[in-house]
Amino acid sequence: MAEDGERDRPHRFSEGQGFSEDYEEFTLDPPELNVDPAKVDPVDTRVIADELDERNIAKDEVDVEQLVDVGLSYMQINRFEEATETFERAAQFAEEDSLEAQEAWVNKGAAHAELEEYDEAIGSYREALRIDDDSEHAASAETNLAYALWQFGETEEALEHAERAVEIDPRFGQAWYNRGFFLRERGLNEDAVNAFDNAIRLGMRTADVLEEKVRALEDLGRDDEAEQVQQQADELREQREQELIEDR
């Protein structure tokens, strides 16, 4: 079982999104807000999602992409309940079984996961994969589903979906990271180290990834190598802390 701190992990969104620098594990980057979200509701500047109702508005009158952007803006300011509702509306108004609908379902699952509503998250990811299990959004759905299943204690099935994410997109660094995490959880540390190395080569060279690799190396008895990697992780953390101080 992972430590408590290891369970508090954000989730990958569909194309159009990203994670903060504090991302630990489990992306187009979300559109930047043009206003101060603390003062103006993003919906007020984009589209009034709460007024959308299939009984009153035809589907072809709704800009689904813009509605998804509203949900992403809610995610950016940690208003996850509003995000789930907005993504659900986006899926409702998208063409049935379209990529837009799939993207909305993936994002809805991520929003539920941020609320620790893992049952709803699993349902959303499975719906996204029902639409298309080999699309541009499928790898995100698979890796997020893996995490939600892990939260439910379904570690074997979680690894299966993490493996599937890598198969769909071998250049998806986050999927390799997640695969390594689940492999280490099952004691398959040599394979885990290889997965973490792939994640690092694909751009996920963060302190969190390096520290997961350290744990796998230590379990393999490769203490000297683990010490070197831990030093790299510490340097990255110090660098990040210094950047935060300078930003203030």
Side-chain angles (χ1 to χ4, degrees):
M1 185 63 65
E3 297 177 359
D4 291 343
E6 295 177 353
R7 286 186 170 273
D8 184 16
R9 305 173 188 275
H11 315 273
R12 176 181 169 103
F13 304 155
S14 70
E15 197 70 11
Q17 309 168 62
F19 293 101
S20 70
E21 292 296 331
D22 294 329
Y23 173 75
E24 294 182 13
E25 185 169 328
F26 289 95
T27 10
L28 307 172
D29 287 340
E32 294 296 328
L33 294 177
N34 296 321
V35 296
D36 184 350
K39 299 178 180 178
V40 180
D41 191 313
V43 169
D44 293 335
T45 67
R46 308 287 184 91
V47 61
I48 307 302
D50 290 340
E51 292 184 0
L52 295 177
D53 190 318
E54 192 171 19
R55 295 169 298 178
N56 300 320
I57 301 178
K59 286 191 175 184
D60 59 5
E61 296 179 10
V62 177
D63 187 332
V64 175
E65 183 177 353
Q66 188 178 44
L67 192 54
V68 168
D69 283 349
V70 171
L72 296 178
S73 295
Y74 275 136
M75 296 291 286
Q76 188 176 1
I77 58 175
N78 299 329
R79 291 175 59 178
F80 302 120
E81 290 184 5
E82 290 92 337
T84 61
E85 295 169 0
T86 305
F87 291 134
E88 183 171 356
R89 289 183 182 277
Q92 173 187 354
F93 283 97
E95 182 179 348
E96 185 175 1
D97 290 351
S98 65
L99 282 177
E100 283 185 328
Q102 184 182 43
E103 179 180 9
W105 281 111
V106 173
N107 290 333
K108 183 174 183 290
H112 279 300
E114 292 289 355
L115 293 167
E116 299 186 357
E117 297 172 350
Y118 296 111
D119 191 32
E120 292 88 344
I122 288 170
S124 295
Y125 299 139
R126 291 196 189 280
E127 177 62 16
L129 291 169
R130 181 199 64 76
I131 292 173
D132 192 334
D133 63 0
D134 197 32
S135 74
E136 62 188 90
H137 303 307
S140 298
E142 290 284 7
T143 198
N144 285 359
L145 176 58
Y147 170 70
L149 288 167
W150 175 68
Q151 286 283 1
F152 262 36
E154 300 292 339
T155 56
E156 184 172 354
E157 188 178 356
L159 178 57
E160 291 173 2
H161 286 282
E163 297 275 10
R164 175 61 180 152
V166 170
E167 292 173 5
I168 295 170
D169 187 357
R171 298 196 61 77
F172 181 8
Q174 192 176 320
W176 281 107
Y177 177 35
N178 294 344
R179 179 177 183 269
F181 178 83
F182 292 126
L183 287 167
R184 191 183 70 79
E185 285 281 292
R186 300 192 65 185
L188 302 173
N189 292 293
E190 193 70 52
D191 290 336
V193 169
N194 292 334
F196 293 136
D197 284 341
N198 283 337
I200 293 167
R201 281 194 292 268
L202 290 169
M204 288 199 69
R205 190 175 183 277
T206 68
D208 296 307
V209 178
L210 291 173
E211 287 176 348
E212 288 291 346
K213 181 180 176 181
V214 167
R215 295 183 182 100
L217 289 169
E218 289 176 341
D219 288 343
L220 289 168
R222 294 159 59 178
D223 294 335
D224 291 343
E225 188 176 352
E227 185 176 350
Q228 293 176 3
V229 177
Q230 183 63 58
Q231 183 176 354
Q232 296 172 21
D234 292 341
E235 290 173 356
L236 285 176
R237 287 200 183 279
E238 291 175 5
Q239 179 181 343
R240 174 57 180 159
E241 290 172 1
Q242 185 61 38
E243 290 172 353
L244 290 172
I245 292 172
E246 292 174 355
D247 288 342
R248 292 175 186 173

